[in-house]
Amino acid sequence: MRLPRTDRERLLLVLALAVTVTVFTATVPLLRGWFDLRVYYGTVDTWVHHGGRIYDYRVPGTAYGFTYPPFAAVSMLPMALLGLHAAITAALLLNLSALGAVVRMTAGPLLRRHGWYGWALTGCALALFEPVRDTVSFGQVNLVLLALVLTDARLLTTGRARWAGIGIGLAAAVKLTPALFIGLLLLAGRRRAAGVATAVAGAATALAVWIAPDASRFYWSEALWDTRRIGRTAYVSNQSLQGVLARLAAPGEPSRVVWLMVVLLVLAVWAWRARRAVAVGDWWAAFALTGLTACLVSPITWVHHLVWLLPSFAVLVRTGHARVAGAVYAVLCTSVVWLWFDDASGVDGFVGGSAYVWVTLGLLLWLPVDDAGQTRFGPTNRSTSDTAPAPSTAAPRIVQVSGQPGPLSGVTVAATGTDAATRTDAGASGPACATGRAATSEPTGVTRPAAPKPQSSSERASS
């Protein structure tokens, strides 16, 4: 198949892809009806305008309410100034902006080579990516948190480390899972950034205690430990290690001891791989590995939480594994796990019903780490002593420079080994065509009829 060579051919291809994406998203997956956003909005509206309590609110006709830490509700207070439709619009724009920031930080150098064409293709591709389309149509906050965390990663690799940690701290105060990135900073010996992240998370939590003391007391003493508020761990949308164990144990409860042992093993693998990535200067891979691990060890990882896999695609493309990235992308666009919506028992259910878990685990074990440092976000502040060989005591070599025009022809210059210091490291890496469709209040269904008791990600404190 011949690739488009002219702008006209590229435009026609983009238009054809946009139509295909529109048809697909309008007919195949069920959109989520902004379900999680309605949880957020209803919680804030009831709290501010009707004197209600944060953790007492339920979406009318459902049993689903707010289960994030109190600071998440505090950060959403501006919604109290908006109507529901205005809040939906604001959330859509915020998610698309966060997605654009993530793409720019992870794949910006490559996309700049291809201009509008590369951005358009990426947008259409990400519109089909199930975790992204679910995050947008749920009105979730995953992309915003990912953008915050990756901002810290960029600061660490562009000589502005003094500000690093703020994004991770804010993300950890909104949800608990991003706190694992503080562990990465400690593994990397970035104690100052880890301290900043911890201080920001603590300050945000303290602010929530000051604004909503009763809600804070209830969350940290009761709601956080009440597993009934989290949801059904065996539900096929839970693509975490605990989800696998819960489906194996269904209808019983999975062994907490077995789960803890598996989590510790995964954390050990993560620590080993992340430290190696940091040791060779590949911060990008280190952050990608941490995102993968967070999805695996979290008790609940709904499908839309897998936007944390996006940095891994950039690592694969930058290290020359574009075909592997394409294969993983294809699997995560298929909604294949929903084939086992009714029954995930048996070998086929174990494999297919947890397909996204195996993809995530495979990436954790195999994701390339670039020893040459080519997968960094951008140039780092490295002194010449980091790249230049030691000065030689030998006499300088005399090199004949030929091919110079005019009177410079035949001039001789002295060259020493220090010319290696002029080398630079450069990395490049290889979105979303929004569509409309009649919304459904079913928060997790994809191609299946609405379940009697649908599970919504917005109710999980650990998500």
Side-chain angles (χ1 to χ4, degrees), residues 440-454:
T440 171
S441 60
E442 158 62 21
T444 49
V446 174
T447 59
R448 309 286 307 198
K453 294 182 179 180

PDB file of all heavy atoms in Angstrom, residues 440-454:
ATOM      1  N   THR A 440     -25.569   6.658  27.643  1.00  0.00           N
ATOM      2  CA  THR A 440     -26.216   5.693  28.508  1.00  0.00           C
ATOM      3  C   THR A 440     -25.750   5.932  29.923  1.00  0.00           C
ATOM      4  O   THR A 440     -24.629   6.354  30.144  1.00  0.00           O
ATOM      5  CB  THR A 440     -25.879   4.243  28.096  1.00  0.00           C
ATOM      6  OG1 THR A 440     -26.373   3.359  29.088  1.00  0.00           O
ATOM      7  CG2 THR A 440     -24.373   4.028  27.983  1.00  0.00           C
ATOM      8  N   SER A 441     -26.580   5.647  30.874  1.00  0.00           N
ATOM      9  CA  SER A 441     -26.189   5.831  32.264  1.00  0.00           C
ATOM     10  C   SER A 441     -25.376   4.661  32.772  1.00  0.00           C
ATOM     11  O   SER A 441     -24.876   4.674  33.867  1.00  0.00           O
ATOM     12  CB  SER A 441     -27.442   6.003  33.154  1.00  0.00           C
ATOM     13  OG  SER A 441     -28.261   4.862  33.048  1.00  0.00           O
ATOM     14  N   GLU A 442     -25.271   3.590  31.949  1.00  0.00           N
ATOM     15  CA  GLU A 442     -24.433   2.451  32.322  1.00  0.00           C
ATOM     16  C   GLU A 442     -22.984   2.892  32.348  1.00  0.00           C
ATOM     17  O   GLU A 442     -22.426   3.267  31.330  1.00  0.00           O
ATOM     18  CB  GLU A 442     -24.649   1.329  31.286  1.00  0.00           C
ATOM     19  CG  GLU A 442     -23.516   0.324  31.204  1.00  0.00           C
ATOM     20  CD  GLU A 442     -23.313  -0.414  32.489  1.00  0.00           C
ATOM     21  OE1 GLU A 442     -24.227  -0.458  33.298  1.00  0.00           O
ATOM     22  OE2 GLU A 442     -22.215  -0.945  32.691  1.00  0.00           O
ATOM     23  N   PRO A 443     -22.333   2.850  33.507  1.00  0.00           N
ATOM     24  CA  PRO A 443     -20.989   3.400  33.611  1.00  0.00           C
ATOM     25  C   PRO A 443     -19.882   2.534  33.080  1.00  0.00           C
ATOM     26  O   PRO A 443     -18.787   2.997  32.896  1.00  0.00           O
ATOM     27  CB  PRO A 443     -20.820   3.617  35.114  1.00  0.00           C
ATOM     28  CG  PRO A 443     -21.731   2.627  35.735  1.00  0.00           C
ATOM     29  CD  PRO A 443     -22.894   2.483  34.809  1.00  0.00           C
ATOM     30  N   THR A 444     -20.108   1.245  32.843  1.00  0.00           N
ATOM     31  CA  THR A 444     -18.987   0.424  32.421  1.00  0.00           C
ATOM     32  C   THR A 444     -19.281  -0.486  31.246  1.00  0.00           C
ATOM     33  O   THR A 444     -18.378  -1.087  30.718  1.00  0.00           O
ATOM     34  CB  THR A 444     -18.517  -0.468  33.583  1.00  0.00           C
ATOM     35  OG1 THR A 444     -19.651  -1.125  34.145  1.00  0.00           O
ATOM     36  CG2 THR A 444     -17.814   0.324  34.641  1.00  0.00           C
ATOM     37  N   GLY A 445     -20.480  -0.634  30.833  1.00  0.00           N
ATOM     38  CA  GLY A 445     -20.788  -1.517  29.718  1.00  0.00           C
ATOM     39  C   GLY A 445     -20.122  -1.051  28.453  1.00  0.00           C
ATOM     40  O   GLY A 445     -19.924   0.112  28.225  1.00  0.00           O
ATOM     41  N   VAL A 446     -19.804  -1.964  27.538  1.00  0.00           N
ATOM     42  CA  VAL A 446     -19.184  -1.582  26.285  1.00  0.00           C
ATOM     43  C   VAL A 446     -20.044  -2.038  25.134  1.00  0.00           C
ATOM     44  O   VAL A 446     -20.731  -1.264  24.516  1.00  0.00           O
ATOM     45  CB  VAL A 446     -17.768  -2.182  26.178  1.00  0.00           C
ATOM     46  CG1 VAL A 446     -17.178  -1.917  24.815  1.00  0.00           C
ATOM     47  CG2 VAL A 446     -16.880  -1.572  27.239  1.00  0.00           C
ATOM     48  N   THR A 447     -20.076  -3.336  24.847  1.00  0.00           N
ATOM     49  CA  THR A 447     -20.912  -3.835  23.783  1.00  0.00           C
ATOM     50  C   THR A 447     -22.033  -4.711  24.336  1.00  0.00           C
ATOM     51  O   THR A 447     -22.776  -5.308  23.592  1.00  0.00           O
ATOM     52  CB  THR A 447     -20.078  -4.669  22.807  1.00  0.00           C
ATOM     53  OG1 THR A 447     -19.473  -5.745  23.521  1.00  0.00           O
ATOM     54  CG2 THR A 447     -18.998  -3.807  22.177  1.00  0.00           C
ATOM     55  N   ARG A 448     -22.124  -4.751  25.661  1.00  0.00           N
ATOM     56  CA  ARG A 448     -23.118  -5.604  26.313  1.00  0.00           C
ATOM     57  C   ARG A 448     -24.315  -4.788  26.748  1.00  0.00           C
ATOM     58  O   ARG A 448     -24.230  -3.586  26.928  1.00  0.00           O
ATOM     59  CB  ARG A 448     -22.494  -6.254  27.565  1.00  0.00           C
ATOM     60  CG  ARG A 448     -21.193  -6.937  27.313  1.00  0.00           C
ATOM     61  CD  ARG A 448     -21.354  -8.223  26.598  1.00  0.00           C
ATOM     62  NE  ARG A 448     -22.314  -9.067  27.287  1.00  0.00           N
ATOM     63  CZ  ARG A 448     -22.407 -10.374  27.101  1.00  0.00           C
ATOM     64  NH1 ARG A 448     -21.611 -10.984  26.263  1.00  0.00           N
ATOM     65  NH2 ARG A 448     -23.301 -11.086  27.748  1.00  0.00           N
ATOM     66  N   PRO A 449     -25.460  -5.450  26.977  1.00  0.00           N
ATOM     67  CA  PRO A 449     -26.605  -4.735  27.568  1.00  0.00           C
ATOM     68  C   PRO A 449     -26.240  -4.261  28.960  1.00  0.00           C
ATOM     69  O   PRO A 449     -25.338  -4.778  29.601  1.00  0.00           O
ATOM     70  CB  PRO A 449     -27.706  -5.818  27.611  1.00  0.00           C
ATOM     71  CG  PRO A 449     -27.261  -6.866  26.637  1.00  0.00           C
ATOM     72  CD  PRO A 449     -25.760  -6.835  26.648  1.00  0.00           C
ATOM     73  N   ALA A 450     -26.987  -3.268  29.430  1.00  0.00           N
ATOM     74  CA  ALA A 450     -26.714  -2.707  30.750  1.00  0.00           C
ATOM     75  C   ALA A 450     -26.842  -3.772  31.816  1.00  0.00           C
ATOM     76  O   ALA A 450     -27.792  -4.552  31.825  1.00  0.00           O
ATOM     77  CB  ALA A 450     -27.677  -1.563  31.048  1.00  0.00           C
ATOM     78  N   ALA A 451     -25.887  -3.812  32.728  1.00  0.00           N
ATOM     79  CA  ALA A 451     -25.910  -4.766  33.824  1.00  0.00           C
ATOM     80  C   ALA A 451     -26.860  -4.288  34.907  1.00  0.00           C
ATOM     81  O   ALA A 451     -27.064  -3.087  35.081  1.00  0.00           O
ATOM     82  CB  ALA A 451     -24.512  -4.938  34.410  1.00  0.00           C
ATOM     83  N   PRO A 452     -27.471  -5.206  35.656  1.00  0.00           N
ATOM     84  CA  PRO A 452     -28.369  -4.786  36.734  1.00  0.00           C
ATOM     85  C   PRO A 452     -27.679  -3.892  37.747  1.00  0.00           C
ATOM     86  O   PRO A 452     -28.266  -2.982  38.271  1.00  0.00           O
ATOM     87  CB  PRO A 452     -28.785  -6.119  37.372  1.00  0.00           C
ATOM     88  CG  PRO A 452     -28.549  -7.148  36.320  1.00  0.00           C
ATOM     89  CD  PRO A 452     -27.366  -6.656  35.535  1.00  0.00           C
ATOM     90  N   LYS A 453     -26.397  -4.157  38.020  1.00  0.00           N
ATOM     91  CA  LYS A 453     -25.659  -3.357  39.003  1.00  0.00           C
ATOM     92  C   LYS A 453     -24.327  -2.936  38.393  1.00  0.00           C
ATOM     93  O   LYS A 453     -23.283  -3.513  38.670  1.00  0.00           O
ATOM     94  CB  LYS A 453     -25.419  -4.159  40.290  1.00  0.00           C
ATOM     95  CG  LYS A 453     -26.700  -4.491  41.039  1.00  0.00           C
ATOM     96  CD  LYS A 453     -26.387  -5.233  42.309  1.00  0.00           C
ATOM     97  CE  LYS A 453     -27.656  -5.561  43.092  1.00  0.00           C
ATOM     98  NZ  LYS A 453     -27.379  -6.284  44.331  1.00  0.00           N
ATOM     99  N   PRO A 454     -24.357  -1.940  37.529  1.00  0.00           N
ATOM    100  CA  PRO A 454     -23.116  -1.524  36.874  1.00  0.00           C
ATOM    101  C   PRO A 454     -22.109  -0.975  37.860  1.00  0.00           C
ATOM    102  O   PRO A 454     -22.472  -0.398  38.863  1.00  0.00           O
ATOM    103  CB  PRO A 454     -23.584  -0.435  35.887  1.00  0.00           C
ATOM    104  CG  PRO A 454     -24.833   0.097  36.517  1.00  0.00           C
ATOM    105  CD  PRO A 454     -25.478  -1.072  37.192  1.00  0.00           C
TER     106      PRO A 454
END
